[in-house]
Amino acid sequence: MATTTSSPPSDTSAPARPAGRSARRRGDGRFVLACLLPALVLFVLFMVVPTVNVFRMSFYTWSGFSPDMRFVGFDNFTQLFEDAQFVRAFQNTVALLVVVTVVTMGMGLFLAAIMTRQRLRGRNFYRFVLYVPNVLSVVVIAAIFSAIYDQQNGLLNGTLRLLSLDGLQQVWLGDQDIVLWSVAIAMVWQSLGYYMVLYMSSMASIPEELYEASGLDGASPTRQFFSITLPLIWQNLRTTLTFFVMSAVNLSFVLVRAMTGGGPDGSSEVLLSYMYKQAYTNSSYGYGMAIGVVIFAFSFLVSLLVSRATRREPLQF
Amino acid sequence: MTTITTPRNRGDRPRAGRVLTYLLVIAIALAIAVPVAWVLLASLKQKSEFYGSPWTLPEGLHLQNYVDAFFTAHMGQYFFTSVLVTLLGLAFVLAVSVPAAYVIARYEFRGRAFIEVALLAGLFVNVNYIVVPIFLMLVGWDRALVDVLPGGFFIDNPGVLSLVYAATSIPFSIYLLTAYFRSIPTSYEEAAALDGASRFQIMTRVMLPIARPAVVTVILFNFLAYWNDFIIALTLLPGEGKTLQVGLLNLMTAQKAAADYGRLYAGMVIVIVPVLILYALIQRRLIAGMSSGGVKG
């Protein structure tokens, strides 16, 4: 993908490495160390150590503030699978992942395809608008959707009342059967534009001749999408899909944390929010970290599966 | 007439499709723009105007909401904290990532491959997973230092928060900067070395200016990440000095109890507007950076 950031001013054909670099000069070592050390110290201190601690603490029971820390082996994990609330949080996470991934990816691809292929007038403007949610914070999005879903004076129920469709009014965030869907819609609203823009930029690099040639052969736009566009951006699609899983696990958490707090009665709880609740509200840090380990393993496994299942021979154009 | 109808007939189906396409795209754009615009308008309404139809325009400019949000709800003070934390975080992350990325890109040294792999793995560790251990670690440090600093130092410290922000975005920043430094021809450095420039001068005076596009991309993405974060801020600043996002979260909770919509919407506008202005100014660069930096969700 050729973009502004990946093409610096280059007026020379670059040699692989200057002679002066590969042959080490005196003092190189100290310079390297001085440049590298601050970043490494911060990285180890605030990323490596905490990550190791997640795994380590999952084998202990610990209330956090007392020095009493007891090794319990895999007890936390066996306990997890008998914990109905955990199972529910797991199911909710999976449901959100599947629904939001399918809808976001599908709509993102479709919109990107019609925006690039049909050359819509004003598409830069639409792209601008659709990308806006991606720069808003999750708290703001949660607040916007709370305003939309508000039971009394919300945008949704207010409009339904105005249209005399009072029967369709719902307690969007207070009904156990609906709340997860309400969260899913907010998630799609947040991420749709991002993926559309991403796919637009990879579709823009497909040569126009392919479409012209197949058009002369009588291929319909739908046929072109499935036979040209999709195969040629497949690698890009794979990467985004793999990352999407991880970011959706996070997004569902921050959104649930800000919008519903996991309620009503745990019906919108997701894995990370349950971990957070166990750690802070319940002060069961060991148990919370066992949930963290499960999330790590889960998102890693899903990413791996997605990447395996979507493997194809890369196509070139 | 017949000569005109024939081509029109042939074009009918695509034209109908085109109209449908427009309608769909416009509908989706509206679904995104309307709620945001609605919040902007609602922030100017008086309390009584929130009952009844949500589609009425505000009767007047009820700016009292903003005064309430800014002073009574302390959003002004939180705004200042957010600016401070974001700027400090950006300063920290650039100060440590630029030199590290430069030597990784340009110098051969033992353990380089290992460091690169470790940083790459760091890309996959989301902050949300590790915020609990970070919090406990900082609490532990505070407890260890209780004799020297009885008030505590690490928790409720905006400087420490920005250091954590910087640390957690190091993998992404180094990844992006290293790739860019590698793409710069080495002839610039050779020329500077022949002129007698020191290693440090070559890095700061020669390479840094050339790498400006990558630095700008790093600043943009990290700015959004720091400014928009609330999980880390909520955890590490539990006291009075909150960031804007946490303040807004409090306003949301308060609104649920008191139905004080105006203040909440005004608070939201205070949070949204700086980001929207920035976005409008730099959207081209943001989108270009997005596709070059790979995916960062």
Side-chain angles (χ1 to χ4, degrees), chain A residues 26-277:
Chain A
R26 268 188 46 181
D28 267 4
R30 250 186 305 156
F31 179 69
V32 167
L33 199 66
C35 285
L36 217 48
L37 208 57
L40 286 187
V41 167
L42 278 184
F43 176 67
V44 169
L45 202 57
F46 290 110
M47 288 200 82
V48 177
V49 171
T51 307
V52 172
N53 271 341
V54 169
F55 286 86
R56 199 174 54 90
M57 282 166 62
S58 69
F59 296 111
Y60 289 84
T61 54
W62 187 33
S63 65
F65 298 103
S66 72
D68 177 33
M69 200 171 167
R70 204 157 46 82
F71 184 79
V72 293
F74 284 95
D75 276 10
N76 284 329
F77 292 95
T78 46
Q79 212 181 322
L80 270 181
F81 294 96
E82 290 153 17
D83 180 348
Q85 273 183 291
F86 169 76
V87 174
R88 188 171 197 182
F90 208 133
Q91 288 169 336
N92 285 345
T93 306
V94 174
L96 279 178
L97 270 188
V98 173
V99 172
V100 174
T101 307
V102 170
V103 175
T104 310
M105 292 280 161
M107 281 175 75
L109 270 175
F110 178 68
L111 283 173
I114 56 178
M115 298 261 274
T116 18
R117 293 305 313 149
Q118 306 241 4
R119 314 222 162 274
L120 293 192
R121 215 171 301 151
R123 67 191 158 134
N124 281 342
F125 174 74
Y126 296 122
R127 192 178 67 174
F128 176 82
V129 172
L130 262 76
Y131 195 79
V132 163
N134 196 55
V135 300
L136 300 179
S137 76
V138 177
V139 180
V140 166
I141 290 168
I144 287 178
F145 273 85
S146 299
I148 293 176
Y149 291 142
D150 190 281
Q151 191 184 347
Q152 290 302 321
N153 309 302
L155 209 49
L156 204 51
N157 278 356
T159 308
L160 288 172
R161 197 167 350 143
L162 218 60
L163 300 171
S164 309
L165 294 167
D166 298 44
L168 291 177
Q169 289 189 10
Q170 302 287 350
V171 196
W172 301 103
L173 293 177
D175 188 325
Q176 299 216 11
D177 300 326
I178 299 177
V179 64
L180 209 58
W181 296 104
S182 306
V183 173
I185 289 173
M187 284 175 74
V188 173
W189 191 88
Q190 194 270 350
S191 40
L192 178 62
Y194 178 83
Y195 288 94
M196 185 196 75
V197 170
L198 210 61
Y199 296 141
M200 274 175 82
S201 68
S202 61
M203 284 178 193
S205 62
I206 301 175
E208 187 62 34
E209 301 94 78
L210 291 176
Y211 293 100
E212 282 166 12
S214 67
L216 288 178
D217 290 343
S220 68
T222 323
R223 180 72 202 276
Q224 287 179 333
F225 175 76
F226 284 106
S227 308
I228 300 175
T229 313
L230 211 50
L232 285 178
I233 66 159
W234 190 260
Q235 290 309 315
N236 188 278
L237 193 67
R238 272 186 71 190
T239 325
T240 54
L241 209 56
T242 317
F243 274 85
F244 188 85
V245 173
M246 286 188 295
S247 67
V249 168
N250 287 305
L251 179 64
S252 65
F253 160 56
V254 276
L255 207 54
V256 160
R257 175 73 184 76
M259 198 155 75
T260 69
D265 196 25
S267 53
S268 65
E269 201 79 82
V270 290
L271 282 174
L272 271 166
S273 67
Y274 190 53
M275 168 184 109
Y276 211 77
K277 196 166 274 180

Side-chain angles (χ1 to χ4, degrees), chain A residues 5 26 28 121 128 137 276, chain B residues 22 180 199 235 245 279 292:
Chain A
T5 28
R26 268 188 46 181
D28 267 4
R121 215 171 301 151
F128 176 82
S137 76
Y276 211 77
Chain B
Y22 268 109
Y180 198 87
R199 295 181 194 84
T235 313
Q245 307 293 341
Y279 168 57
S292 75

